[in-house]
Amino acid sequence: MSDPQDSAVSPVGEAATQAALPLDAPPLPPGTPLLPARMVNEYAYCPRLAYLEWVQGEWADSADTVEGRYSHKRVDKAGGNPPRAGDDADADVRIHVRSLELSSDALGLAAKLDLAEFEGRRAVPVDYKRGKRPHVERGAYEPERVQLCVQALLLEEHGYQVPEGVLYFVASRERVKVLFDDELRAATRRAAAGLRLIATGAQMPPPLENSPKCPRCSLAAICLPDEVHYLRTQETPPRPLAVGGATALPMYVQARGAKVAKKGEVLEVSVDDEKTASARLMDVSQLVLQGGVYLTGPALHELMARNVPVTWLSHGGWFLGHTTGLGHKNVELRTAQYRASFDERHCLRLARDLVAAKIRNQRTLLRRNWKRGDAPQELLSAFRQDIDAAERARDLPQLLGVEGNAAARYFRHFHEMLSPQGQGGEAAQGAPGGDAWSFDFARRTRRPPADPVNALLSYAYSLLARSVAVTLTAVGFDAFRGFYHQSRYGRPALALDAMEPFRPLIADSTVLMAINNGEIGAGEFVRAGGAVNLNERGRRAFIAAFERRMSQEITHPVFGYAAQYRQIIEIQCRLLGRHLLGEVDRYPNFTTR
């Protein structure tokens, strides 16, 4: 981003230059919030980071942010009252005020001071920093000095004299004096003006290129600086993304008449007032309730406060919707999503790529898992023709036809990926109807599924749709407005779009794994009225297999680093956002070789 004080070229000639006048930010519209000092710090560190946090409402914890909160525990407790600036206070009496909140409409700034030391009209702001004092020329990095200077400007606006401040580094227990000279004050005002300009202009700054700041940034997996740069230029492959381990996992409750309540920091499940299971709230990433499960009000409020979504499924496992708190603040992303969804050419371009990626992955799954020898070359060639047809489709109806033909071919040969036992060997003994894994190889039967394999596929797609819908909502999308699947009441169209390439890789693969490994047997199904469905025991076993697949690590085919499938789904959702916001020309679908 250009500095508002960069020199400008004179029209007389290139050699003649004159200093550009500092440009003030436009006046804040009524109701615009004041800029916090911490956000000015972030802008001085990385303008894109400040925009993501302040404008788009993004946030992610890291070890550094958690340690920083712990370091501030003591100073965050308010204490003391500052002397009135206009009074003739005793200069020999030192007053300490903790957690002092100041703001100024004139400056457009606000800050919460960790500590302020007063001696009469003289004030010294003290800002606590985790870690040790850096050994740099001025005793601290510029973003920290700028943040402290914001506090000084606010104190001066309230009538105090503030010639200097202090940065206190908790780990080394050192105080570093910061002089508020003209250079630092000018840098602070430029940073505040720059942040206001990008915020009011709604223009996200470009990512840093190969910067040493990015790997330790808590928002690296949201910003995706290396990935965006690589997709733009095909230069400098991305550094391995430090994707946080998924320590919290979904919690499923499906027992009929079960009750989920909050007991302290624990979610407790009971049936007929008898406790049957429990999980710490910190270990729950989602709460999935299937059928007639009762969730208490206090438990729901706590989950919403923690941004833990609650997913509601029918008795048969169909995805009904989910409950969240206030939702994501990123209005820009949803605006871009809606705009693209009404652009027929944009929708067709995205849909063609999604369907082509799905067919590629279906072809790969068949080729890898063909049980008797190698997959016929003519079959693989037919899929190649389907991919070409999908990429050339003139409209969505034609694309639907191409997808349908490829799906029919894929499911006609689905049995070739089942082990001999899975096709009617030992597992068939005692099966309802005689054949444990009978499958309609001519077509998919969905509502209702007419055989065990179709029942497993339907349930797997429901679980995947739920996972993708929750991730899309967490990223900031409206999961119910899509590009390929038509939007209608209660249908998560965008989730169905985004999951297309992952159907073979996650859902179909889980079905094959559960059957071929003997994790699901004939006794895990019930038949009624021509329909086949999993019973409670079967659902429990299949959910375990599905979540195990979601936790499996795989190398990203474009970026080359490893991540779990559940994390790759989030990366792909964020890349879709980068595409819709204009940072990436074409959305890179996930396909395996």
Side-chain angles (χ1 to χ4, degrees), residues 354-528:
L354 287 167
V355 172
K358 173 187 174 182
I359 300 174
R360 282 191 176 93
N361 289 334
Q362 288 176 330
R363 179 178 183 268
T364 299
L365 193 69
L366 277 170
R367 180 172 52 82
R368 285 182 178 178
N369 294 277
W370 199 272
K371 292 299 182 185
R372 286 160 290 277
D374 296 330
Q377 193 59 44
E378 57 271 20
L379 175 63
L380 301 180
S381 298
F383 277 113
R384 179 70 262 177
Q385 295 172 6
D386 292 331
I387 294 169
D388 293 339
E391 292 175 338
R392 296 194 309 267
R394 295 187 300 272
D395 51 38
L396 292 182
Q398 183 182 8
L399 184 61
L400 281 167
V402 172
E403 182 192 15
N405 290 334
R409 181 178 294 107
Y410 171 72
F411 285 114
R412 277 199 303 270
H413 295 88
F414 194 85
H415 68 286
E416 299 289 354
M417 297 185 286
L418 299 176
S419 65
Q421 177 179 343
Q423 296 190 62
E426 297 177 5
Q429 302 302 318
D435 190 354
W437 300 118
S438 60
F439 182 56
D440 187 345
F441 299 114
R443 59 190 177 91
R444 269 273 289 137
T445 58
R446 296 179 293 175
R447 299 189 181 184
D451 56 72
V453 177
N454 269 304
L456 289 176
L457 288 169
S458 294
Y459 193 55
Y461 295 148
S462 176
L463 293 176
L464 183 58
R466 182 266 308 165
S467 298
V468 175
V470 168
T471 302
L472 286 166
T473 303
V475 167
F477 282 105
D478 180 349
F480 292 87
R481 183 70 189 178
F483 305 104
Y484 178 42
H485 290 83
Q486 298 302 306
S487 300
R488 64 172 184 253
Y489 178 76
R491 185 188 195 188
L494 185 61
L496 298 177
D497 286 354
M499 69 183 271
E500 288 288 6
F502 292 102
R503 284 176 181 262
L505 302 178
I506 297 178
D508 298 355
S509 181
T510 302
V511 171
L512 294 175
M513 179 173 59
I515 294 175
N516 292 338
N517 293 346
E519 298 178 56
I520 299 291
E524 275 72 60
F525 295 91
V526 293
R527 295 174 182 261

Side-chain angles (χ1 to χ4, degrees), residues 50-61:
Y51 189 91
L52 287 169
E53 290 187 352
W54 180 240
V55 180
Q56 294 192 348
E58 299 284 7
W59 178 254
D61 264 324

Side-chain angles (χ1 to χ4, degrees), residues 61 106 134 136 178 180 200 214 217 284 291 416 423 541 569 582 591:
D61 264 324
V136 294
V178 177
F180 300 128
T200 55
C214 296
C217 178
V284 178
E416 299 289 354
Q423 296 190 62
I569 288 175
T591 56

Side-chain angles (χ1 to χ4, degrees), residues 132-136 139-141 169 176:
K132 299 180 179 180
R133 173 181 65 88
H135 295 282
V136 294
Y141 296 112
F169 292 89
V176 174

Side-chain angles (χ1 to χ4, degrees), residues 276-296:
T276 58
S278 64
R280 296 185 301 175
L281 280 161
M282 63 182 294
D283 294 331
V284 178
S285 64
Q286 304 169 30
L287 179 62
V288 185
L289 306 179
Q290 182 164 343
V293 178
Y294 169 53
L295 177 64
T296 66

Side-chain angles (χ1 to χ4, degrees), residues 344-352 393-396 399:
E344 292 184 3
R345 294 178 61 186
H346 201 160
C347 287
L348 179 60
R349 186 164 63 249
L350 280 169
R352 285 190 301 209
R394 295 187 300 272
D395 51 38
L396 292 182
L399 184 61

